[in-house]
Amino acid sequence: MENYQLEKKATEFRKKIMEVGYQTKSGHLSSALSCTDIMVALYYGGFLNYNKGSYLNTDRNRFILSKGHACIIQYLILVDLGLISNEELLKLCKPGSILGAHPDSLKIPGIEATTGALGHGLSISIGYALGAKYNEQNYQVYTILGDGECEEGSVWEAALCAGHQKLDNLTVIIDYNKLQASDYTFNITTLDSLVEKWFDFGFNTCEIDGNNMEEVMKALQKPMDKKPKAIVAHTIKGKGVNIIENQNNWHGRKPNDKEWFLIRKQMGI
């Protein structure tokens, strides 16, 4: 897809995030909204190839959503690709549904790893990347981390390993939206100089506007240069929904009827 088509796709997914969140009263909506552009670029920009016929191919590129609480956008994409039914989507977080608040690889086709316990996704991704090297396979591995997640020590242990192993088949994207569950990230633990930190751990690094599709695509297409890649993507939590953007009280909230009226009017739903 061309960039303008990807942007249009991201806009439609943001509407669906809010619709499904309102209808099911489930999902971490603001966290999903911040990484929507990145997710759309990965799945529709030529980096991943997931559909009913390919999601189990051994040579497929892998994707792990380490910040698993943002999974509503991944579920929507898997519905669009035909791996999950729309009927199942509307059962989100209901008893008996395969779709929980965090993605489960044992239940959901197209999910590479069960995530949501923050700090684990990068280590799993490294396992996939090392496996490709050992088995002489050419697939790439992509993972999205949250900025709050980067407070976990396990992230930096994994980063040391990836840099040491020179995993040039691994791309890490940090969804740097400056907010986490309880407060602004800088009020919890300072994460200054993230680009320099990842560089010091042996990564090719770059810094982008993660809600700008052109910048996201260019960063993902950038050559690996015999090292893993880390993309520090500055994003807006709640991107695209005026009353939610940069508001730290929306991490787990869903809109009430009055808020939903305002959101529908703004987004043209």
Side-chain angles (χ1 to χ4, degrees):
M1 286 188 182
E2 299 293 334
N3 285 351
Y4 75 91
Q5 294 172 305
L6 296 173
E7 290 168 357
K8 184 177 179 180
K9 196 85 171 172
T11 298
E12 292 305 310
F13 274 127
R14 285 193 167 94
K15 293 178 182 179
K16 290 179 181 178
I17 287 169
M18 297 310 300
E19 286 183 288
V20 173
Y22 176 73
Q23 291 171 5
T24 65
K25 307 303 179 187
S26 301
H28 289 76
L29 310 182
S30 60
S31 299
L33 291 166
S34 71
C35 64
T36 294
D37 303 287
I38 300 166
M39 294 285 287
V40 168
L42 285 168
Y43 276 96
Y44 299 95
F47 305 99
L48 302 174
N49 181 25
Y50 284 79
N51 55 53
K52 284 185 176 180
S54 69
Y55 77 94
L56 291 176
N57 289 351
T58 57
D59 61 349
R60 69 190 181 280
N61 288 347
R62 271 74 166 172
F63 168 69
I64 293 175
L65 181 62
S66 190
K67 50 171 285 182
H69 56 284
C71 59
I72 188 169
I73 175 59
Q74 191 172 26
Y75 294 164
L76 284 165
I77 289 171
L78 294 178
V79 169
D80 188 52
L81 297 176
L83 276 76
I84 301 174
S85 70
N86 194 62
E87 292 73 22
E88 190 67 44
L89 179 67
L90 295 178
K91 300 175 186 176
L92 178 66
C93 294
K94 301 296 187 291
S97 175
I98 64 172
L99 304 180
H102 300 98
D104 188 333
S105 63
L106 299 180
K107 296 179 180 178
I108 308 169
I111 298 295
E112 301 285 1
T114 300
T115 58
L118 297 178
H120 295 172
L122 180 55
S123 294
I124 298 170
S125 301
I126 288 169
Y128 275 123
L130 283 170
K133 296 289 186 182
Y134 292 153
N135 294 320
E136 298 183 347
Q137 293 176 279
N138 293 320
Y139 65 76
Q140 296 287 315
V141 183
Y142 301 89
T143 186
I144 295 178
L145 278 64
D147 53 342
E149 183 177 9
C150 290
E151 296 168 1
E152 300 277 358
S154 54
V155 168
W156 301 106
E157 291 180 48
L160 276 173
C161 175
H164 176 74
Q165 296 290 340
K166 301 186 185 304
L167 294 178
D168 58 357
N169 57 349
L170 173 68
T171 297
V172 179
I173 306 116
I174 299 90
D175 181 15
Y176 198 4
N177 61 32
K178 321 299 188 302
L179 282 163
Q180 51 186 284
S182 58
D183 203 346
Y184 291 94
T185 303
F186 62 79
N187 285 334
I188 306 297
T189 299
T190 302
L191 285 175
D192 291 342
S193 306
L194 264 186
V195 174
E196 289 81 359
K197 282 184 173 71
W198 286 94
F199 179 82
D200 290 341
F201 277 76
F203 284 69
N204 288 310
T205 60
C206 63
E207 191 170 18
I208 65 168
D209 177 350
N211 296 134
N212 181 304
M213 190 62 70
E214 182 177 356
E215 291 191 28
V216 172
M217 288 295 292
K218 284 182 178 179
L220 290 170
Q221 292 165 346
K222 191 175 180 180
M224 302 296 282
D225 192 26
K226 299 181 180 179
K227 292 181 180 180
K229 183 193 299 182
I231 302 169
V232 177
H234 293 273
T235 60
I236 296 172
K237 195 162 186 176
K239 173 67 176 178
V241 185
N242 291 347
I243 66 172
I244 297 178
E245 286 188 356
N246 284 323
Q247 300 299 310
N248 69 346
N249 63 337
W250 274 91
H251 181 79
R253 274 191 61 200
K254 268 60 70 177
N256 58 35
D257 290 345
K258 182 178 180 180
E259 291 164 338
W260 178 233
F261 174 80
L262 296 173
I263 290 167
R264 288 181 64 192
K265 186 176 180 179
Q266 182 224 317
M267 301 186 82
I269 297 174

